[in-house]
Amino acid sequence: MTRLLARTAIAASIVLGTPSATLALQPPASAPATVSEFDKRAAQLVDLLDGRIAFADYFDPSFQKAVPEAQFKTFIAGLIAQYGKPVAIDSATPTSGRSGTVLLRFERGVATVLLDVGVAAGERVTGLRVTGVAVANDSFDKVAAEIAALPGLTGFLVAELDGAGIRPLASANADRQFAVGSTIKLYILDELAAQVAAGKRKWSDVVPLSHFSFSSAGTANWPADTPVTLQTLANWMISVSDNGATDTLIHLLGRAPIEARMKDAGHSDPSRNIPLLTTVEAFALKGNNFNDLRPVFIKGEDAAQRKLIESNQNRLTLANVDGISFTDGPRFIDSLEWFASPNDIARLMVDLRARQSRTLLAAMAINNGVGPVAAADWTYLGYKGGSENGVLSMSLLGQRKSDGKWFVVTASWNNPDANVDTGPLIGLVTRLLALTGKTTS
């Protein structure tokens, strides 16, 4: 029918003496291509980040609830501080009419952005996730300089693991002790795997969820003594850094065996973590409710500290954690924390890999810390991070896809004077990982 109508129109124009017969004989212009909802929103990304499109006009209410505008702006400010201003959309590749991948160019890098558009009125964005940033002509030296420029104290290590050997590729302050927060939980995982290997326990053993703590993503408000397996506790402890699972494992495995495991794994200054504090003990001691005990604990030797903890077990509980104390900034991160150097973490990764435990490695791989795009060069990628006010630590164990070699990438950032922003260090560690995935070694 379309062809018939076209012929009729052409014939009529000739008969009527159209001024340009050549023009009249041209086929009719094709209809404009349909622009998908994904394409529309992808094209607006630069304007959004530049502030020319309002947050509420671009994002669906569901996204606004999950990621408040202030949090989103802080994240974007971190990206811009590290990679420069957004410049252009290099490509927008849809996986459907409402989802796809956008390559967003900044002045000093290209970000991979996963974008999802909703179906509700206004067809606003329901999901936006930056999974990695590639930097042209990047190098370990460039990343090292940017890490060094962060306010406060920083250190990192990139190294190949060859059996028990550690061959550094790049590093700075690799022997310095840093507050590492929940990264210390890898020592607990190591001891759990060791007890399983020795036949003392099984991953499938069912135990009660016996100890609760502050800021527990997985076990918050769970009933006391809920039966869970050891594998479940390990998965929670590592993947979402659940503190209730962590403290349950510490009490189950014993402080002394975990402390001994830390020494056996090559920690260079184990006294910094002896006695090994549970998370609720650390949070309690940092708070204003324990202004009397805290200075005594900090000044004490290992034995005195252990005695203080043991004699105050009835006070160092979740009910006595003063959450208000953690709203203003860093709290005693140089004296009341968990500590390790980048080299300590590398030696720990050697120990973890030597366990040859699929369950252990699987727990570390649930949350790889950097997303699917950054993990593309790796057959295996395990991760544990740690953070609190003024503290950020990221540690990865990976097997390179190109040659099967194993590597550790670890970095720590401490600032006792101000909170640290996660965005910059995540970007820098992602770049270290990308360089390691492609470096000939």
Side-chain angles (χ1 to χ4, degrees):
M1 178 65 73
T2 302
R3 285 193 291 269
L4 178 59
L5 289 174
R7 290 193 192 102
T8 304
I10 292 170
S13 66
I14 295 173
V15 170
L16 293 172
T18 305
S20 172
T22 303
L23 185 62
L25 288 170
Q26 290 179 345
S30 59
T34 302
V35 179
S36 71
E37 294 79 6
F38 164 77
D39 291 328
K40 293 175 185 176
R41 291 303 185 183
Q44 295 173 334
L45 264 176
V46 174
D47 286 341
L48 170 74
L49 302 191
D50 274 343
R52 293 191 292 269
I53 295 178
F55 179 83
D57 291 340
Y58 190 82
F59 289 108
D60 186 82
S62 63
F63 185 95
Q64 296 179 44
K65 182 178 180 180
V67 184
E69 183 173 6
Q71 181 181 340
F72 179 78
K73 286 185 174 180
T74 298
F75 173 72
I76 295 304
L79 279 178
I80 292 173
Q82 187 168 347
Y83 301 109
K85 294 180 179 179
V87 175
I89 303 300
D90 279 3
S91 67
T93 306
T95 54
S96 70
R98 297 186 178 275
S99 298
T101 301
V102 183
L103 295 184
L104 173 61
R105 179 170 295 280
F106 289 80
E107 290 175 319
R108 297 187 295 276
V110 178
T112 300
V113 182
L114 304 184
L115 200 66
D116 299 299
V117 182
V119 297
E123 296 177 325
R124 286 175 284 181
V125 168
T126 56
L128 184 153
R129 186 157 64 98
V130 177
T131 61
V133 182
V135 178
N137 302 314
D138 208 7
S139 69
F140 286 128
D141 287 343
K142 288 182 179 179
V143 180
E146 292 183 42
I147 291 176
L150 295 172
L153 306 172
T154 58
F156 79 95
L157 171 68
V158 177
E160 180 184 347
L161 306 182
D162 184 8
I166 299 172
R167 188 172 73 84
L169 303 181
S171 67
N173 299 321
D175 285 321
R176 180 169 190 150
Q177 293 291 313
F178 292 93
V180 295
S182 289
T183 303
I184 203 72
K185 294 170 184 176
L186 289 175
Y187 287 106
I188 303 170
L189 180 67
D190 196 15
E191 174 58 19
L192 174 57
Q195 292 191 16
V196 169
K200 295 178 63 175
R201 306 183 189 280
K202 297 179 181 177
W203 292 106
S204 58
D205 285 350
V206 176
V207 298
L209 183 63
S210 57
H211 290 75
F212 293 89
S213 185
F214 185 63
S215 185
S216 294
T219 61
N221 302 316
W222 277 57
D225 297 326
T226 296
V228 291
T229 67
L230 294 183
Q231 184 173 358
T232 299
L233 290 174
N235 287 346
W236 275 336
M237 177 177 70
I238 300 301
S239 67
V240 295
S241 215
D242 186 272
N243 290 327
T246 301
D247 287 1
T248 295
L249 283 172
I250 291 175
H251 284 278
L252 181 70
L253 303 174
R255 286 185 215 266
I258 299 169
E259 293 163 359
R261 183 63 51 197
M262 179 174 56
K263 294 177 181 178
D264 290 345
H267 195 292
S268 58
D269 192 3
S271 179
R272 298 293 300 270
N273 301 315
I274 295 176
L276 181 75
L277 293 174
T278 65
T279 65
V280 77
E281 289 165 352
F283 281 122
L285 284 170
K286 283 174 176 282
N288 292 332
N289 287 341
F290 290 90
N291 288 338
D292 58 335
L293 292 186
R294 183 173 54 250
V296 178
F297 179 85
I298 290 174
K299 292 178 181 178
E301 299 294 329
D302 293 354
Q305 290 179 333
R306 193 182 302 278
K307 184 177 180 180
L308 183 148
I309 292 295
E310 292 173 350
S311 62
N312 286 277
Q313 282 297 294
N314 61 330
R315 291 184 62 195
L316 296 169
T317 62
L318 179 57
N320 290 325
V321 172
D322 173 23
I324 300 300
S325 301
F326 301 95
T327 59
D328 292 334
R331 302 275 298 184
F332 312 104
I333 66 170
D334 55 350
S335 56
L336 187 56
E337 240 278 353
W338 300 276
F339 298 90
S341 70
N343 275 327
D344 291 336
I345 298 298
R347 288 187 286 268
L348 172 58
M349 292 298 193
V350 168
D351 209 49
L352 290 166
R353 190 166 73 93
R355 298 269 163 233
Q356 297 185 333
S357 168
R358 292 183 180 180
T359 306
L360 178 157
L361 293 175
M364 293 178 61
I366 294 171
N367 170 16
N368 69 24
V370 293
V373 173
D377 294 328
W378 302 87
T379 302
Y380 170 83
L381 199 60
Y383 168 78
K384 186 72 195 85
S387 65
E388 68 163 279
N389 294 343
V391 174
L392 187 57
S393 178
M394 298 180 67
S395 297
L396 297 111
L397 172 67
Q399 183 181 32
R400 195 161 60 185
K401 189 176 292 184
S402 62
D403 55 14
K405 293 182 178 180
W406 287 82
F407 296 85
V408 59
V409 176
T410 181
S412 289
W413 178 16
N414 293 174
N415 188 349
D417 300 320
N419 291 338
V420 297
D421 179 18
T422 59
L425 191 66
I426 291 173
L428 290 163
V429 170
T430 301
R431 287 165 61 190
L432 289 175
L433 188 69
L435 289 164
T436 308
K438 296 175 173 59
T439 298
T440 301
S441 64

